Amino acid sequence: SQKIEQNSEALNIQEGKTATLTCNYTNYSPAYLQWYRQDPGRGPVFLLLIRENEKEKRKERLKVTFDTTLKQSLFHITASQPADSATYLCALPLGGSQGNLIFGKGTKLSVKP
Amino acid sequence: SQTIHQWPATLVQPVGSPLSLECTVEGTSNPNLYWYRQAAGRGLQLLFYSVGIGQISSEVPQNLSASRPQDRQFILSSKKLLLSDSGFYLCAWREMIDTQYFGPGTRLTVL
């Protein structure tokens, strides 16, 4: 069955540095991958979607890469700020017309001033 | 613009009591709707999804049930809560490109 892993439960970095989060998947060839941000006690918020034919996508200080050979996506936040502290989830489609997603457990990012 | 509401925001219930959580969506028609549970230290677990009124699919066998009495209303229920039902319950709707938009969630504690 499909498996999705975010292999860092937590990541601590200094303000101004680039945060890099990893999402790996197995038994799977997804057409796209999504990244969400979740703050404590809140629902996840959609950030970016990258399709299988896109190597890289950017949105302001965010950059996502998608390597279908390695079955991996990297999520970068450049010039990180304390306000970027949150849990970041990657998600993949399960296929079918229902639009169901499978989510990773998330990586909790803490940016220290 | 679309808005998704959930209530209550927090709930403390004794074991064996019933449950009813409500989710409503505004600003969209015939959305796909989802119920997730997020337990402490665990990822999002899809519980139910619905592609239309009265159409419910269950992903995980359990003592929970879901109903969709109206196009933009999704209800999660239980007749008798278990301790293991504690968690953060999230409702979501799906946009055309498979992006999901989540509600604010309900924190359920079963004692």
Side-chain angles (χ1 to χ4, degrees):
Chain A
S1 62
Q2 303 101 332
K3 200 172 181 183
I4 182 170
E5 285 184 353
Q6 294 184 252
N7 49 10
S8 294
E9 284 192 17
L11 180 65
N12 299 311
I13 65 167
Q14 207 66 34
E15 182 175 8
K17 301 292 185 185
T18 296
T20 299
L21 286 63
T22 305
C23 178
N24 294 292
Y25 58 92
T26 56
N27 301 326
Y28 210 6
S29 296
Y32 60 82
L33 184 146
Q34 302 182 22
W35 283 90
Y36 290 76
R37 169 182 172 142
Q38 186 174 21
D39 291 285
R42 310 284 293 270
V45 174
F46 170 74
L47 295 176
L48 282 167
L49 180 150
I50 185 166
R51 300 188 186 280
E52 60 180 340
N53 60 349
E54 298 175 311
K55 294 293 184 187
E56 180 181 298
K57 200 150 193 181
R58 292 176 185 262
K59 180 183 176 182
E60 297 172 354
R61 293 184 295 110
L62 307 181
K63 185 179 85 171
V64 172
T65 62
F66 194 12
D67 189 326
T68 55
T69 301
L70 291 178
K71 294 187 182 296
Q72 180 181 80
S73 175
L74 299 179
F75 177 83
H76 306 272
I77 305 176
T78 58
S80 60
Q81 305 166 0
D84 295 326
S85 298
T87 296
Y88 292 86
L89 309 171
C90 64
L92 293 167
L94 283 172
S97 60
Q98 302 88 354
N100 293 5
L101 298 173
I102 178 172
F103 285 84
K105 291 185 179 180
T107 296
K108 184 175 181 180
L109 174 66
S110 296
V111 181
K112 305 295 183 186
Chain B
S1 64
Q2 299 87 357
T3 310
I4 182 167
H5 304 278
Q6 283 186 248
W7 62 91
T10 59
L11 193 58
V12 180
Q13 292 284 98
V15 169
S17 63
L19 173 75
S20 181
L21 303 181
E22 190 163 343
C23 169
T24 58
V25 182
E26 295 176 359
T28 186
S29 296
N30 196 30
N32 282 17
L33 295 174
Y34 307 85
W35 276 113
Y36 289 89
R37 177 171 58 205
Q38 193 173 36
R42 301 183 66 178
L44 282 169
Q45 179 186 33
L46 179 63
L47 301 175
F48 300 94
Y49 67 91
S50 171
V51 299
I53 296 174
Q55 300 179 63
I56 308 295
S57 296
S58 173
E59 288 295 300
V60 183
Q62 58 210 321
N63 69 322
L64 299 171
S65 62
S67 62
R68 186 168 176 176
Q70 300 180 43
D71 181 43
R72 286 169 283 182
Q73 184 185 32
F74 205 20
I75 297 172
L76 183 70
S77 304
S78 174
K79 292 182 179 177
K80 287 187 176 181
L81 284 168
L82 306 172
L83 285 173
S84 58
D85 291 324
S86 293
F88 191 44
Y89 287 82
L90 289 156
C91 179
W93 70 276
R94 170 205 171 199
E95 201 183 55
M96 290 299 292
I97 55 170
D98 289 351
T99 300
Q100 292 191 12
Y101 295 92
F102 288 82
T106 295
R107 175 74 59 191
L108 172 66
T109 303
V110 183
L111 300 175

